[in-house]
Amino acid sequence: MRGLAVVAALLAPAAAVAQVPAAAPFALDAAPVQGGLARGVAPAGTRTLTLGALPVPVSPDGRFLIAFDRDAAPTVDLVATLADGRAVRQTLTVAPRAWRIERLDTLPRGTAPTEDFTRRRAPELAQIAAARAVDRASDGWRQRFVWPATGRISGLFGSQRIYKGEPGAYHGGVDVARPTGTPVVAPADGIVALAAAAPFTLEGNLLMIDHGMGLVSAFLHLSRIDVGPGDRVRQGQVVGAIGATGRATGPHLHWGMTWRGSRIDPLLVAGAMPGS
């Protein structure tokens, strides 16, 4: 029950988020929160749209998607440049989140990576970066996302360990503990951006699905991948199976999401785990 209470507490900011008032220049469906996303409608005649320094694509019907990193600053400007040259600006206030931080004051952060790991890791990171760099035409970002697998949440987005005052990397996704072979489905429509031909050092069998507008899902530690690069997948379609490949202590699904370099919380995108 304690785990469910933690999940409920983390969902509280999202549940409390209200719509931005209609009088605001941008009609957003949710107020900004660290690790969250919002869909919106740009002012009529918008030629370009930016969130801070990031360009934001706008669909032909004027709709767009923005998201906020786990460590997003308290405010950021959303600016539309209209066809007549005028700029429409709105300063967004990004609500903070309370992350689970574990302090291990007697343990060092860890050993330095081996030469073999470093040699293998560089091309893996290059593949991941290349998969995220391409803008693919998919409307999956418009959908209400579903969980790619259901079960016990064993790892929370944003959690972090501090070793003797030195921060470790925070957890960049949500972990769902299920047995090896449990099917994994696409949480929304998309195009396969990466299907690892061989297990990566950390991620194991890695699958990445581009939902459009820069929104990408990554599924780690799979026991198998059932789709290939460039395949179009539909929400609910089986795309692989849970495993324990790569650096994993047991079978589980790690579901991570990014938007144009920002890591976001799948729990806020898909909502509470069914049955919790």
Side-chain angles (χ1 to χ4, degrees), residues 185-211:
V185 304
D189 292 357
I191 300 172
V192 176
L194 175 63
F200 282 19
T201 51
L202 299 184
E203 297 85 0
N205 291 323
L206 169 64
L207 173 65
M208 297 174 66
I209 297 176
D210 187 339
H211 304 293

Side-chain angles (χ1 to χ4, degrees), residues 27-49:
L28 300 180
D29 68 354
V33 59
Q34 288 179 331
L37 61 76
R39 301 171 183 87
V41 180
T46 294
R47 186 177 60 196
T48 62
L49 183 65

Side-chain angles (χ1 to χ4, degrees), residues 184-186 207 209 219 222 224-227 233 237-241:
V184 173
V185 304
L207 173 65
I209 297 176
F219 309 100
L222 300 177
R224 71 169 197 271
I225 297 174
D226 297 340
V227 291
V233 298
Q237 176 183 338
V238 175
V239 293

